[in-house]
Amino acid sequence: MKRNPRKLKWTKAFRKSAGKEMIVDSTLTFAARRNIPVRYNRDLVASTLKAMERVSAIRAKRERVFYKNRMAGNKERDKAANKKLVAENEHLLPRVRASEKMTQVVEEPLEEEVTMELPAQRQRGKQKVKQRLLVTGGVEEQMDVD
């Protein structure tokens, strides 16, 4: 049974026509077969092998960049799809009472602390004093013993 290779998703023709693989790239021409007999030359073989490794490294790098560019918008698309799913099926989510919402809103900012530690400003004997800034605007002092 004959089929159009551009319609079968597993073929190279489909992947190239759908933009899933690189089509125009100078590294792809190196993979083409050349049926020209060449007399054996040790230096030529060594340089050819080095060139093949270099070309494969360049191709791998370009394919990675191509893939990253192709997948760049997926996070935003997934996030939008997830938000849409939640919005459509909001009736399935457990309901939060208004009083619980208020307690969450009030408690959340107080629980956070800024972990910036200021250098010791005063020294009392051999003890160092560290100060920590709190979200509420205050300063908390801690004693460190050396």
Side-chain angles (χ1 to χ4, degrees), residues 71-103:
M71 296 294 154
N74 282 356
K75 286 185 181 180
E76 291 83 20
R77 243 181 276 129
D78 288 343
K79 194 177 248 186
N82 290 341
K83 283 183 179 181
K84 181 181 175 188
L85 182 69
V86 168
E88 288 175 353
N89 300 314
E90 196 170 357
H91 63 281
L92 299 174
L93 295 172
R95 294 192 178 196
V96 179
R97 288 186 230 132
S99 59
E100 291 175 359
K101 281 185 185 177
M102 290 300 293
T103 56

Side-chain angles (χ1 to χ4, degrees), residues 28-39:
L28 298 173
T29 59
F30 290 110
R33 291 187 64 164
R34 293 171 189 81
N35 295 325
I36 302 168
V38 178
R39 187 171 178 163

